[in-house]
Amino acid sequence: MKWMRILLAAAPTAAAVHEASVAGIQGLARRLFQGRDAQFEFELTREHENWSRWNVPDNDNYTVSSSNGKIRVQGTTLSALARGLRHYANDALKMDEHWFVDTVYKLPDRLPLPEEALTGASTVPWRYNLNTVTFGYTFVWYSWSDWEKLLDWAALRGVNLQLAWVGYERIFLDSFLQLGLAQDDILAFFSGEAFQPWNRFGNIHGTWGPQRRLSLAWIDQQFALQKKIVARMVELGITPVLPGFPGFVPAALKTLRPDADVVDAPAWVDVPANNTATAFLNPTDKTYAELQKLFIANQVEAFGNVTNVYTVDQFNEINPKSGDAKYITDVSASTYAGITAANPAAIWLMQGWLFYSSQGFWTQQRVDAYLAGPPGKNDMVILDLFSESEPQWQRTRSYADRPWIWCQLHDFGGNQALHGKITNVTQNSVQALRESPSLVGYGLTPEGYEGNEVVYDLLLDQAWQASPIDTADYFRTWARNRYAGSGTIPEGVFSAWEQLRQHAYDVRDNVLPSVGVSVYQLFPALEGLANRTGHWPAPTALQYPPNVMKNIWHLFHNASLDAPGLLQVPAFHLDFVDVTRQALGNAFADIYTNLVDEFQAGANATVIRDLGKSMLSFLKDLDTALNTDAHFTLKQWLDSAKSWGESTSAPEDVAFNARSQVTVWSTESRLLDDYAAKAWSGLVRSYYGKRWGIFIDGLVRAREHDVALDEKALGDKIRQFEVSWQYRGYNSETCDKAQDIQQVAKSLMKRWPAAFA
């Protein structure tokens, strides 16, 4: 009895349990409302468990009202409570919190009570976020402060299922050490910091160029960061999707387990031969189950029992060794058996990208065979990764009626052109929900987040609307809340966003399926660069008349003059520079076309030299314009990388990785060059501009000597420069002193009237 009394006395009260359960949402309110969280009270209206194959999720709902002088937020889940907070901020305070920039607003000491109850209900139980490769293109150098901002952004929009892939290498290392593999053999398997997603996919292994092996310091620091990320996700009601073991292994496993069924996966694109054709352990082998159990058990020990959802992608742009249906089913069944042996409630989440990227291999029979592996309908969830442009759910019969998530991919490699498919996002997603009973969520799966934030908000908000969102009203309200704190917003700002909505953000066909690039970001050539369409190589064609962007630019510019306070709002400043970037990028296509036309028409060396000088001067001015906002600088990317490099005692390795990912990847490959092209000050000046300078010199010399242009020799010279820049950077870490965007805009209009007229 004594022990019973002690246990009862120690047991927390229901109120204490509730307070602890909503502590993360209380913290979110504290950050969002500048320390005024005591003015809120939160109530969970039902118990919630981790999603498992035995626990089919329901839709969420929330209500925000007033009670005894406080703002009362009630919701079915923590995610619903977080979504309710954003609804209140949008409605009562006409403000929003964004990801890429800080929001500037002054709040009253006493927050206003809701004038009437604010309610919301999701139309899908799951709102998913992130692509596996986003952890390379966008997140590789993220610090905790970056992640904290991202997680708040996601929670406020109702995200409740998100990939958590930071620090995977520590789990991998520990699991293989426990199996008996030597540490040096495991470290030799890992790729560089900026290329880890493709290492995890089995596309590549090892490092190249001057980089040494991935440092243990990096592995440990990333793992420590992952612990903070996962803990915060749980606090905010975001179920972490943790990595399972897909089957890719260090080659040394063949020696440790000579009887194991290990084969080399197919080579991936054209990276160096020594870095692809990664060893793959057949999931039917007993060693696979052993490793899967270690992977999951080590994560439970590190993070707690926080999820039942595990991501495993085995055939990302590489096909199985056999197309035999039985073999494919056996691989899938054994993979799932390995996951559930470690966690009986587990759900396997996989990207459906393979069914699009390798359609020639993944016939309907093979799709069905792979999806037939897990025995129960709810054992697997598939991300229809590119739903807004290349949906696969129809041809796969809603992925054999398994749960699936409608996703907006939108951006490849972190390219930055203004682009969206808002009609597809709002109408097609709702139509899919009506037609496919197994659709369980909407999700964001961009390869990189570099801008275009409105299209990501739109899809996550569509998850809380039964009918397609009225995008005209949405864009106006979104812009108003985005520029909160600026005072009166000129009507021209809303006109600019309306034109953006109608043109840049409402592409309705697949001629331009994703975010594009500008011609100046591409390897110089006489043909094949302008007006390019399709997914890859990246499109350069515009989905609107060029004068549209010029008009949008003038609306932003005039607004900055009419209401100078707007430029003190970081979001408006970023957007004005972004539109300036787009207008100048569009104009470069005309400068390039004029140069090529003159050369091919036989213009003499003087004409080509003068046109070339003008082109290089234009790029220098573009670099100056980009340097007015830190978001558009190579320096920010490199400084973030350096901070990790210095803390891991590998600054040169990290800098090489950072430069490589946004330019040429490996010196032995060409296909991935400029895939992750960026409009960044420093990169334009020291890399793109230098390439075009070499190209122009080649054209001039051909005319001076009256000989045909040797494009191969010229290309080789440009490639020599690329390698030199990749290895040494040509002082690319430094930029000219940042100037004021209004002064730069004034100069641009004077120097390049055709770009804005």
Side-chain angles (χ1 to χ4, degrees), residues 85 102 115 150 174-175 183 235 306 317 338 358 361 382 406 417 458 473 518 589 620 624 656 700 718 735:
L85 278 180
D102 293 326
E115 294 181 2
L150 162 60
D174 287 347
S175 299
Q183 178 171 285
E235 287 179 5
V306 296
E317 298 177 357
S358 301
F361 177 87
I382 297 92
W406 195 102
L458 182 65
D473 287 344
S518 176
K620 184 178 179 181
T624 299
F656 173 80
V700 171
I718 295 173
C735 296

Side-chain angles (χ1 to χ4, degrees), residues 76-149:
T76 52
T77 63
L78 295 179
S79 179
L81 294 178
R83 174 76 191 189
L85 278 180
R86 179 167 177 248
H87 192 161
Y88 168 80
N90 290 174
D91 188 88
L93 300 171
K94 306 296 186 286
M95 56 156 277
D96 208 346
E97 184 76 5
H98 294 279
W99 174 0
F100 306 120
V101 293
D102 293 326
T103 306
V104 177
Y105 46 83
K106 183 175 177 59
L107 295 177
D109 291 336
R110 192 70 193 171
L111 298 176
L113 298 174
E115 294 181 2
E116 58 183 8
L118 308 174
T119 61
S122 68
T123 60
V124 288
W126 294 99
R127 286 83 59 188
Y128 174 82
N129 193 29
L130 305 185
N131 188 310
T132 46
V133 300
T134 320
F135 290 78
Y137 288 126
T138 300
F139 301 151
V140 56
W141 315 124
Y142 263 31
S143 64
W144 169 241
S145 62
D146 298 317
W147 273 104
E148 189 170 42
K149 189 171 180 62

Side-chain angles (χ1 to χ4, degrees), residues 133-143 146-147 166 192-198 218 222 225 637 640-641 644 654 657-658 661:
V133 300
T134 320
F135 290 78
Y137 288 126
T138 300
F139 301 151
V140 56
W141 315 124
Y142 263 31
S143 64
D146 298 317
W147 273 104
V166 176
E193 298 85 358
F195 301 98
Q196 286 174 343
W198 299 274
W218 165 270
Q222 288 284 296
L225 179 58
W637 172 259
S640 298
W644 281 102
V654 171
N657 250 254
Q661 196 223 75

Side-chain angles (χ1 to χ4, degrees), residues 267-287:
W268 182 64
V269 296
D270 61 348
V271 295
N274 291 337
N275 297 107
T276 188
T278 303
F280 180 70
L281 174 64
N282 195 325
T284 61
D285 191 283
K286 63 180 182 180
T287 302

Side-chain angles (χ1 to χ4, degrees), residues 446-603:
E447 287 192 347
Y449 285 99
E450 284 293 331
N452 293 302
E453 197 169 349
V454 64
V455 301
Y456 305 130
D457 277 354
L458 182 65
L459 179 63
L460 294 178
D461 287 339
Q462 185 62 71
W464 299 81
Q465 298 287 336
S467 300
I469 288 174
D470 181 331
T471 57
D473 287 344
Y474 184 90
F475 268 61
R476 185 179 182 89
T477 301
W478 190 87
R480 179 202 69 190
N481 293 344
R482 182 169 174 82
Y483 305 142
S486 65
T488 302
I489 302 174
E491 187 61 30
V493 171
F494 299 113
S495 297
W497 276 101
E498 172 60 16
Q499 291 189 42
L500 284 168
R501 181 190 73 86
Q502 292 180 16
H503 300 284
Y505 287 124
D506 200 11
V507 180
R508 303 196 186 196
D509 56 43
N510 266 4
V511 173
L512 295 170
S514 58
V515 176
V517 297
S518 176
V519 170
Y520 73 82
Q521 296 171 296
L522 303 177
F523 192 91
L526 286 174
E527 57 186 16
L529 305 186
N531 294 313
R532 206 158 66 184
T533 58
H535 160 50
W536 180 252
T540 57
L542 298 179
Q543 65 267 39
Y544 49 80
N547 284 342
V548 167
M549 194 56 61
K550 297 176 184 180
N551 190 49
I552 291 168
W553 184 87
H554 279 286
L555 289 168
F556 269 95
H557 180 238
N558 292 339
S560 73
L561 298 175
D562 295 342
L566 271 173
L567 284 176
Q568 304 307 310
V569 178
F572 182 85
H573 190 280
L574 183 147
D575 294 343
F576 183 29
V577 177
D578 202 13
V579 171
T580 304
R581 172 204 58 74
Q582 187 68 62
L584 291 173
N586 294 354
F588 182 87
D590 294 332
I591 295 173
Y592 161 78
T593 301
N594 188 32
L595 173 67
V596 169
D597 287 349
E598 289 290 341
F599 180 82
Q600 292 180 332

